[in-house]
Amino acid sequence: MGKLAVVSDLHADINRFTTEDLAQLLSVLKEKKADRLHFAGDLANKVEKAQAIVAYFEQYLPTTFNWGNHEMADLTAAEIEDYPNPAFLNQKALALNQKTVLVGYNGWYDYRFSTLKDKEKIEAIKRLYWYDRVIKREESDQQVDAQLQKRLKKLLDALKKADKKVILATHFVPKKEFIVYQTDPKLKRWNELNAFLGSEKLGELLDHYDNLEQVVFGHTHRRFDDKKINGTRYSCRPFGYFFEWQLTREFVLENQLVEEYNPMKLRGVLKAHEAQFKEYQKQHLKSEFEQAVTMIDY
């Protein structure tokens, strides 16, 4: 029996991670007795940085990865789906043992999680607000999503026919149970932007496979307890940006740096207390990593 660790949304450049910081994650993986690691997207904004992180962990244990939307901005459409790196696992199955395989799948989105239903309005807010507007795609988002799932279905059908148990690692959200809808009218925009969090159609496709043991994903930057849906365990515990971490919340509240806690307004506060925050991060980062690693026995 082995232990697979899956990590998503490391965002190493935005979080300004050093080798010392990565060593803390490695320490967590060793303590959890992981013998294999998979990164489920958004390692970094730049592909060169993302590959450097993969190379760092490859020194210590077998490591694979698929892309998230942040790396995609640095790639051509062809490179997004078929990147020339032996560790790149997208639309492929890697045998973990004689019975179980790990499937990597970048994924995309179909707009169905949005409270907006007008496709043109959704595309307009994407151009205004969403990072992915810089990603080079030749078809519409919904066409891309459908084409990727058609390819994935062929792979999953073959694995089911071969009587293989499947662990699927992807970046985008496949189930509505992991989408948060805000009730505050001032936050209405976030409910509209849910369009770009994942694909409900992907979740519907996955429901057809009783050999699908577990699905691990991120992108939403919210951590959830595991949920079992139609016999499959779904895990979502992305690492996220430094101003979203639990340790950051504890830092600002313990030091009474804000009257009202709002992660999106913390960057200025943290900049003003940079040295103090860096020291606090150094002491508590390992705990944050522990909360953001999904461990799977196989």
Side-chain angles (χ1 to χ4, degrees):
M1 180 175 286
K3 287 183 177 290
L4 167 69
V6 183
V7 177
S8 73
D9 299 87
L10 198 62
H11 291 290
D13 39 13
I14 293 173
N15 291 327
R16 294 175 290 180
F17 280 151
T18 64
T19 302
E20 183 179 14
D21 295 325
L22 297 179
Q24 291 208 47
L25 174 55
L26 180 62
S27 176
V28 169
L29 298 176
K30 288 180 177 178
E31 289 177 7
K32 291 180 178 289
K33 295 182 168 48
D35 55 23
R36 176 170 287 280
L37 171 63
H38 182 83
F39 288 109
D42 281 6
L43 272 163
N45 282 5
K46 293 296 181 182
V47 168
E48 183 178 355
K49 178 69 172 178
Q51 290 196 106
I53 294 166
V54 171
Y56 170 83
F57 285 95
E58 281 180 322
Q59 299 174 89
Y60 305 100
L61 74 171
T63 303
T64 51
F65 68 98
N66 61 265
W67 296 131
N69 57 314
H70 277 252
E71 293 102 347
M72 291 178 187
D74 205 28
L75 297 164
T76 66
E79 289 173 326
I80 288 172
E81 299 306 324
D82 295 290
Y83 193 75
N85 183 318
F88 182 58
L89 192 67
N90 177 53
Q91 300 277 15
K92 296 176 185 175
L94 173 71
L96 299 177
N97 55 35
Q98 290 185 336
K99 192 67 179 175
T100 305
V101 300
L102 169 65
V103 171
Y105 178 66
N106 294 339
W108 202 236
Y109 36 76
D110 64 1
Y111 296 173
R112 283 171 56 179
F113 293 142
S114 179
T115 51
L116 283 176
K117 301 307 173 189
D118 187 307
K119 181 174 176 284
E120 290 185 0
K121 288 182 179 178
I122 292 173
E123 291 173 344
I125 65 169
K126 180 179 179 178
R127 291 191 294 270
L128 280 172
Y129 300 109
W130 205 247
Y131 178 83
D132 298 7
R133 64 185 178 272
V134 301
I135 297 172
K136 305 173 187 70
R137 291 288 204 184
E138 296 176 2
E139 298 86 12
S140 71
D141 290 327
Q142 290 162 317
Q143 288 173 324
V144 168
D145 186 56
Q147 290 170 5
L148 297 181
Q149 286 181 43
K150 185 177 180 181
R151 184 177 169 189
L152 177 65
K153 183 180 184 300
K154 289 182 180 179
L155 175 58
L156 294 178
D157 285 347
L159 292 170
K160 185 173 182 178
K161 186 176 181 181
D163 195 28
K164 298 293 185 181
K165 294 180 179 179
V166 175
I167 299 165
L168 176 72
T170 184
H171 185 66
F172 296 89
V173 181
K175 286 291 183 180
K176 200 170 188 176
E177 287 85 343
F178 298 90
I179 301 294
V180 174
Y181 291 94
Q182 303 291 342
T183 56
D184 186 340
K186 292 185 294 185
L187 301 175
K188 173 187 172 184
R189 180 67 68 198
W190 288 107
N191 295 335
E192 298 172 350
L193 293 170
N194 284 340
F196 317 118
L197 289 190
S199 172
E200 193 167 34
K201 286 185 179 179
L202 173 60
E204 292 169 354
L205 172 64
L206 299 181
D207 286 342
H208 290 89
Y209 298 94
D210 56 10
N211 61 323
L212 185 60
E213 298 278 297
Q214 192 158 348
V215 178
V216 188
F217 57 96
H219 188 49
T220 175
H221 286 210
R222 292 177 181 270
R223 297 174 196 161
F224 296 81
D225 292 335
D226 285 4
K227 300 180 190 294
K228 201 155 194 180
I229 305 172
N230 294 322
T232 298
R233 182 177 298 279
Y234 286 80
S235 303
C236 179
R237 45 183 67 89
F239 193 70
Y241 301 137
F242 65 93
F243 51 85
E244 301 167 319
W245 298 340
Q246 180 63 29
L247 76 82
T248 306
R249 179 188 180 99
E250 292 167 357
F251 172 74
V252 297
L253 294 180
E254 284 176 14
N255 291 282
Q256 300 179 328
L257 300 180
V258 294
E259 293 183 5
E260 182 181 357
Y261 179 76
N262 182 341
M264 301 305 293
K265 296 181 178 180
L266 287 184
R267 279 170 282 191
V269 174
L270 297 172
K271 182 69 176 176
H273 299 83
E274 188 170 6
Q276 188 182 2
F277 178 61
K278 281 186 176 179
E279 182 58 32
Y280 192 91
Q281 175 183 321
K282 184 177 180 179
Q283 295 172 13
H284 298 277
L285 185 60
K286 186 177 177 182
S287 175
E288 196 74 29
F289 280 133
E290 288 172 344
Q291 298 171 47
V293 175
T294 297
M295 295 299 304
I296 305 171
D297 293 331
Y298 64 87

